[in-house]
Amino acid sequence: MSMTVTELPHKEQALFRSALLYEASQYKKGLKVSEQILKKFPDHGETLSVKGMFLAHLERKEEGYELMERGLKINPQSSISWHVYGLVCRSDKKYVQAIKCYEEALKADSENMHILREVASLYVQMRQYSKAVECREKLTAMNPFFPSFWLGLATAHHMNGRYDLAIKVISAHELGNNQPPLDKYMISELSLYKNWLIELNGDYQQALEHLKEIRPQIVDITGWKEKKARLLLKADRKEAAATAFQDLLERNSENDDYITGYMECNGLDMKCDEDQDAVLEVIGTLQQQFPSSNRLRFLPLMYSTGDNFAVAAESLAKYALRKGIPSLFSSVRVLYADKAKGAALGTLIESCATQIRDTKRFNDSTDDEPASVLLWCNYYLAQHYDYYGDHERALTLIEEAIRSSPKTIEPYMIKARILKHAGDFRGARDTMDYARQQDVGDRYLTTKFIKYMLRVDEVDEAEKTYLLFVNEDAPHKIQEIVNMQATWYMNERGHAYRRMGDIGRALKHYHQAISVFDTYQDDQYDFHQYSVRKVTLRSYIDILEWEATVYENPAYQTAARAAAECYLELADRKASCNTFVPIEIEKDDKPLTRNGSAQQGQQNLAAGVGETKVYDVEKDPNGTKFVESDNLAEALKLAEHLESVAASNPDTHVLAFEVHLRMQKYFLVLKAINALKAIDATHPALPSMVVRLSQALDTDESFAAALKVPLRAQLAKSFGAVDITTGTAESIDSVLAAAKSMLAMGNGDQAAALLVQTPEAKYAEGRTLLKLLEAKRLLAKSGADESTQAAFGATAKTVFPLATCF
């Protein structure tokens, strides 16, 4: 950093500058130098700030922040003090605070290029694109010979929606003669990026002309051809566009975008019912040109009905059965949303199986089929009947498939899935283990086995198996598991601990999953300068757009909701004087490494072989810090974040309702109810939510009476008179929602009376295994006696006779 310290004597100025050189990594040396200066000048603000920075990087953050704030009080006009404070805030992911610090530093040193570059990146990180444009314009004016400044300015204009200005910046950069020459890959990327900007600006003809000009410079030939086809279509030159898409299909006939584009060139919309006959005709033509395309073989099933569907399905099925394609059912499962097509597919494969059993050949064939065809018929049919809930028939078929080929692994995997759906989780786990033992080197099989173990709460055994993915020489194996960022494992392990009643460890694993997405969000910071320097501008823009949706990932939402629910449970227990106590980890357990004694295995996992370092993952093995936190405040943080990133998910507003109700924020409770109603006015939780808010308003004497009036008026206007049991006569979802609310209001007997009915035939349409398991959990929570729970289990067994979980 370019800084001057006029307050210090010459010798100390030299020491101060040498301390700044240690910023990169040698924090201890820098700390010693700053302390040496402070011995003579203990109130020198800039040195205090720099010392604070070193302390913060040495994990003495509280002391470091205190010193930096003290340094700012002494010299609030110092750009150095503000800069180092901003560096620490940025390192701690406090981006808003870091921006404020950098802006203060620029007031004292407006031409500091280092600060301008850092704050420009932070503006992009926080999506403040107009400010990023201003900052990068200043950088470009200060040093017009840096290509990264020009490209950074162009991307800032791009994200700010000013494509015309971005084009001008790129053109000005291309005209410059003083920048270092770019290699051929950078030139190619820059040319395609500029063409993309012209396209976004809406000038398709100019984009086509430019695309023709840059052809000799392009390395990404496929990208260039895709761009040409798309631009021709947008320019309404459909005949030329059709030729371009035909060329692309010759490269890859499995690409949906190419097929859709070719259809559009022929004036067809694949989603329009009126165009389906013409679409099928074009697909037939393409199939003749590309007979090996699996995608073109499947597409007729999407758009045909009746006899046409039967013909297309028979062609696809016989091809897949002869080839022995295990993924046939997975490929056509999307068609099962149409009941007629699902039934037709089942009938077709049944017919194929019958023909093979009776004659060893299909009716339209003169040659005997391989014996494996019957195996794959049974394999498909087992999944078909499992889809419709006929688990006993599915098991019979998959057992037949296994007997016909005992060494084929896929049928064992399907058997495990069927047992899982039937409620026999232990049998599913054992079957998947057998499948894994047939090929222990298969990572997919091992992953599935780990999931099945976690679903029967074998968390320690699952961890041992997961260690197969970790290098033998990894210094800290548990930290390595966390570093893999396998959110499925973190969430499943959290669910297992939650079922076991270990809320502390459950929260720990949910937060590990949450932190993965926080890391995705934070890691983009490194690309704000790297990408413009390497001229990977198209990918960089894609990253920025993807980062805007990163928290929409189902794995994040699952972890966040589950963690918030755990915090609510902890808060409820504290309110009822039944505080949860973190469960201590057992020290003398089985070894978790692949070799060595139990004690040695624990040492390896705790700190790595030969190490004494304690990693973050082991600092709080029981999740105590989560248990002892302000539970409602933590739940509120998660709920508010979900409201900002997953507002279209009904579960988000149900969670927000639960959090705000406990915090007695009744206007926010009403907001959550209204948001849920806007998404789904028939949501089963709505009646019970309205009743609970009404009851809270009636019983909470601390809430101002004058404020209750508008709340009650809004409830009456929007919902009228509501009964908590609304919908429970026909919907199992309504029963579960009502039971949860009854338990929250202390009406355990009423909840139990509703829950024991859930296995009955009147709920057959929505009665799934997971819903009955949820009913079982709530029934136990209601305080129902053992005979009532036993009766529930017996009735549930009539619905799922193979289940062992009731």
Side-chain angles (χ1 to χ4, degrees):
M1 291 181 290
S2 177
M3 302 174 185
T4 58
V5 188
T6 57
E7 298 88 348
L8 294 173
H10 180 74
K11 180 180 178 182
E12 280 69 27
Q13 287 186 35
L15 283 172
F16 184 84
R17 292 191 181 93
S18 68
L20 293 177
L21 296 176
Y22 295 124
E23 178 201 332
S25 58
Q26 301 180 25
Y27 304 126
K28 291 183 179 179
K29 290 183 178 180
L31 180 62
K32 288 181 180 179
V33 172
S34 59
E35 287 176 341
Q36 185 178 346
I37 298 172
L38 289 172
K39 285 180 181 179
K40 292 185 178 181
F41 303 94
D43 293 326
H44 187 253
E46 291 168 333
T47 306
L48 285 169
S49 295
V50 171
K51 179 182 177 181
M53 176 184 68
F54 290 131
L55 290 174
H57 285 305
L58 291 168
E59 302 301 324
R60 294 163 64 181
K61 291 188 181 295
E62 186 175 346
E63 187 179 352
Y65 275 102
E66 183 180 340
L67 279 177
M68 287 187 291
E69 289 168 3
R70 184 180 159 198
L72 282 170
K73 287 181 181 178
I74 293 173
N75 191 352
Q77 305 301 320
S78 169
S79 66
I80 296 175
S81 296
W82 283 111
H83 190 181
V84 297
Y85 199 179
L87 287 170
V88 175
C89 290
R90 189 200 71 191
S91 176
D92 291 341
K93 319 300 182 187
K94 300 176 181 178
Y95 299 124
V96 174
Q97 183 65 27
I99 287 174
K100 291 179 181 178
C101 293
Y102 286 135
E103 288 174 342
E104 290 294 330
L106 287 172
K107 290 178 182 178
D109 188 3
S110 60
E111 302 296 319
N112 190 306
M113 193 175 297
H114 296 285
I115 300 176
L116 285 168
R117 291 177 67 178
E118 290 166 14
V119 76
S121 296
L122 284 172
Y123 285 141
V124 177
Q125 181 82 6
M126 301 308 294
R127 304 304 188 258
Q128 298 178 17
Y129 295 123
S130 58
K131 289 186 177 181
V133 168
E134 294 176 9
C135 193
R136 286 181 166 166
E137 281 179 340
K138 190 169 185 178
L139 279 169
T140 306
M142 288 171 58
N143 194 334
F145 307 121
F146 270 39
S148 61
F149 289 173
W150 288 95
L151 301 183
L153 177 58
T155 56
H157 279 308
H158 182 161
M159 295 308 296
N160 202 35
R162 292 301 307 272
Y163 309 123
D164 55 335
L165 296 180
I167 294 168
K168 290 180 180 179
V169 170
I170 295 293
S171 299
H173 164 66
E174 290 174 335
L175 291 173
N177 298 317
N178 297 313
Q179 66 267 18
L182 302 177
D183 63 34
K184 63 179 182 179
Y185 299 102
M186 292 180 176
I187 293 171
S188 173
E189 280 297 307
L190 183 59
S191 299
L192 286 172
Y193 177 64
K194 182 179 180 180
N195 188 266
W196 184 24
L197 289 172
I198 299 171
E199 177 188 355
L200 291 172
N201 203 38
D203 194 340
Y204 304 132
Q205 188 58 43
Q206 183 185 348
L208 280 168
E209 294 172 1
H210 178 261
L211 195 67
K212 185 177 180 180
E213 290 176 12
I214 64 175
R215 176 61 182 85
Q217 305 170 358
I218 301 304
V219 176
D220 180 7
I221 303 301
T222 300
W224 186 89
K225 288 177 177 287
E226 289 174 346
K227 177 76 72 173
K228 177 184 176 182
R230 185 167 62 246
L231 286 171
L232 286 169
L233 184 58
K234 287 184 176 181
D236 203 29
R237 294 170 57 183
K238 292 185 178 179
E239 186 175 344
T243 303
F245 277 113
Q246 182 85 15
D247 183 30
L248 288 168
L249 283 167
E250 290 175 0
R251 284 173 166 260
N252 181 6
S253 59
E254 306 290 344
N255 191 302
D256 273 346
D257 291 336
Y258 299 167
I259 297 170
T260 302
Y262 187 79
M263 293 293 177
E264 291 178 4
C265 294
N266 287 274
L268 301 175
D269 183 354
M270 297 178 74
K271 297 180 180 179
C272 178
D273 293 339
E274 297 176 356
D275 290 347
Q276 287 189 4
D277 290 340
V279 166
L280 287 170
E281 185 178 346
V282 174
I283 290 175
T285 303
L286 290 174
Q287 278 184 304
Q288 294 176 2
Q289 298 177 36
F290 308 104
S292 63
S293 171
N294 290 323
R295 188 59 183 166
L296 289 171
R297 191 177 285 112
F298 169 77
L299 280 177
L301 278 69
M302 293 287 292
Y303 303 106
S304 60
T305 56
D307 293 340
N308 289 335
F309 175 81
V311 171
E314 184 176 4
S315 173
L316 174 65
K318 289 181 178 179
Y319 170 82
L321 292 171
R322 286 169 173 149
K323 287 284 187 179
I325 300 175
S327 61
L328 174 61
F329 182 82
S330 300
S331 299
V332 302
R333 182 172 178 170
V334 65
L335 302 174
Y336 276 65
D338 184 327
K339 292 183 180 180
K341 289 185 176 181
L345 286 167
T347 301
L348 170 64
I349 305 299
E350 287 275 18
S351 174
C352 290
T354 301
Q355 292 169 33
I356 297 298
R357 287 193 187 96
D358 293 345
T359 65
K360 296 185 179 180
R361 66 185 64 171
F362 295 125
N363 290 342
D364 60 352
S365 175
T366 58
D367 298 325
D368 289 353
E369 301 293 342
S372 62
V373 170
L374 183 58
L375 159 69
W376 297 115
C377 285
N378 290 328
Y379 181 82
Y380 180 97
L381 289 170
Q383 296 173 82
H384 171 83
Y385 285 109
D386 178 50
Y387 178 88
Y388 287 114
D390 190 350
H391 303 121
E392 292 174 285
R393 173 68 174 150
L395 274 176
T396 300
L397 287 163
I398 204 64
E399 289 287 4
E400 184 179 342
I402 290 172
R403 286 193 298 271
S404 66
S405 181
K407 293 185 178 180
T408 304
I409 296 175
E410 285 83 2
Y412 294 102
M413 297 172 63
I414 296 303
K415 181 181 177 181
R417 183 187 299 170
I418 295 168
L419 289 171
K420 179 188 72 173
H421 293 165
D424 184 1
F425 298 138
R426 173 60 59 179
R429 176 250 185 237
D430 293 341
T431 304
M432 188 60 72
D433 186 23
Y434 182 84
R436 182 182 73 93
Q437 295 296 340
Q438 307 311 302
D439 186 1
V440 293
D442 191 315
R443 283 177 171 256
Y444 177 75
L445 286 172
T446 302
T447 296
K448 297 296 290 185
F449 177 50
I450 292 170
K451 280 188 178 181
Y452 279 62
M453 281 196 291
L454 288 172
R455 286 168 184 164
V456 292
D457 302 338
E458 293 182 352
V459 290
D460 291 337
E461 293 298 322
E463 187 171 81
K464 292 179 191 178
T465 307
Y466 199 99
L467 285 171
L468 295 172
F469 296 144
V470 178
N471 291 332
E472 288 281 3
D473 57 351
H476 189 280
K477 292 182 170 55
I478 299 299
Q479 184 66 48
E480 193 72 15
I481 289 176
V482 176
N483 293 343
M484 285 183 181
Q485 298 184 329
T487 53
W488 65 266
Y489 175 75
M490 298 167 183
N491 280 338
E492 289 289 350
R493 194 172 170 101
H495 296 336
Y497 277 125
R498 191 178 176 189
R499 287 191 297 267
M500 296 162 66
D502 193 341
I503 303 176
R505 286 194 184 87
L507 278 169
K508 177 180 176 181
H509 286 88
Y510 289 140
H511 276 284
Q512 286 177 354
I514 291 169
S515 69
V516 169
F517 294 93
D518 292 337
T519 300
Y520 292 161
Q521 189 75 7
D522 293 333
D523 281 353
Q524 66 176 302
Y525 181 86
D526 297 328
F527 291 95
H528 299 319
Q529 294 186 30
Y530 173 85
S531 295
V532 294
R533 191 171 68 249
K534 293 296 184 179
V535 201
T536 55
L537 304 180
R538 293 184 298 162
S539 298
Y540 173 58
I541 298 298
D542 287 342
I543 287 175
L544 292 181
E545 292 175 347
W546 174 79
E547 288 286 359
T549 64
V550 67
Y551 288 112
E552 295 175 12
N553 190 292
Y556 169 78
Q557 294 184 33
T558 296
R561 278 198 305 273
E565 289 166 1
C566 286
Y567 281 124
L568 291 178
E569 183 178 349
L570 290 172
D572 291 344
R573 293 182 64 159
K574 288 178 181 178
S576 61
C577 300
N578 182 26
T579 304
F580 174 81
V581 178
I583 301 172
E584 292 294 327
I585 191 170
E586 295 182 10
K587 298 296 184 183
D588 297 322
D589 201 357
K590 296 178 182 179
L592 298 182
T593 52
R594 282 172 276 189
N595 301 302
S597 65
Q599 183 178 5
Q600 183 182 12
Q602 289 291 340
Q603 290 172 350
N604 289 346
L605 292 175
V609 179
E611 291 191 3
T612 58
K613 180 179 179 180
V614 179
Y615 286 74
D616 289 342
V617 73
E618 288 300 319
K619 287 180 180 178
D620 184 20
N622 307 320
T624 304
K625 74 173 183 178
F626 302 113
V627 174
E628 295 179 351
S629 64
D630 185 339
N631 301 144
L632 284 180
E634 294 299 320
L636 179 63
K637 289 178 186 177
L638 292 167
E640 288 179 339
H641 192 244
L642 283 171
E643 285 182 302
S644 67
V645 301
S648 61
N649 190 330
D651 292 338
T652 295
H653 304 293
V654 175
L655 175 64
F657 167 87
E658 296 289 350
V659 175
H660 295 315
L661 188 65
R662 286 167 173 80
M663 301 184 77
Q664 300 174 309
K665 298 179 178 180
Y666 299 123
F667 282 97
L668 293 177
V669 172
L670 180 60
K671 178 184 175 183
I673 294 174
N674 288 333
L676 179 59
K677 182 184 178 184
I679 296 172
D680 183 3
T682 62
H683 194 280
L686 272 174
S688 55
M689 291 166 69
V690 173
V691 171
R692 287 176 65 189
L693 176 54
S694 298
Q695 186 198 57
L697 292 174
D698 291 340
T699 58
D700 189 352
E701 296 180 358
S702 64
F703 192 68
L707 296 177
K708 293 181 180 180
V709 175
L711 284 169
R712 289 196 177 101
Q714 183 62 44
L715 284 177
K717 179 180 178 181
S718 300
F719 300 96
V722 177
D723 188 340
I724 196 170
T725 59
T726 300
T728 56
E730 61 277 346
S731 168
I732 192 172
D733 291 318
S734 295
V735 171
L736 295 174
K740 290 177 183 177
S741 293
M742 289 173 179
L743 290 173
M745 295 187 293
N747 300 326
D749 293 341
Q750 293 181 34
L754 275 178
L755 291 166
V756 293
Q757 303 175 41
T758 51
E760 295 178 1
K762 63 181 178 179
Y763 298 118
E765 186 174 345
R767 187 180 51 191
T768 65
L769 177 67
L770 292 179
K771 289 175 183 177
L772 288 183
L773 287 174
E774 176 67 2
K776 176 189 174 185
R777 183 186 71 82
L778 293 173
L779 189 63
K781 191 176 179 180
S782 72
D785 56 42
E786 292 184 3
S787 61
T788 302
Q789 295 187 51
F792 171 87
T795 311
K797 283 279 288 183
T798 63
V799 182
F800 292 95
L802 301 175
T804 60
C805 51
F806 293 112

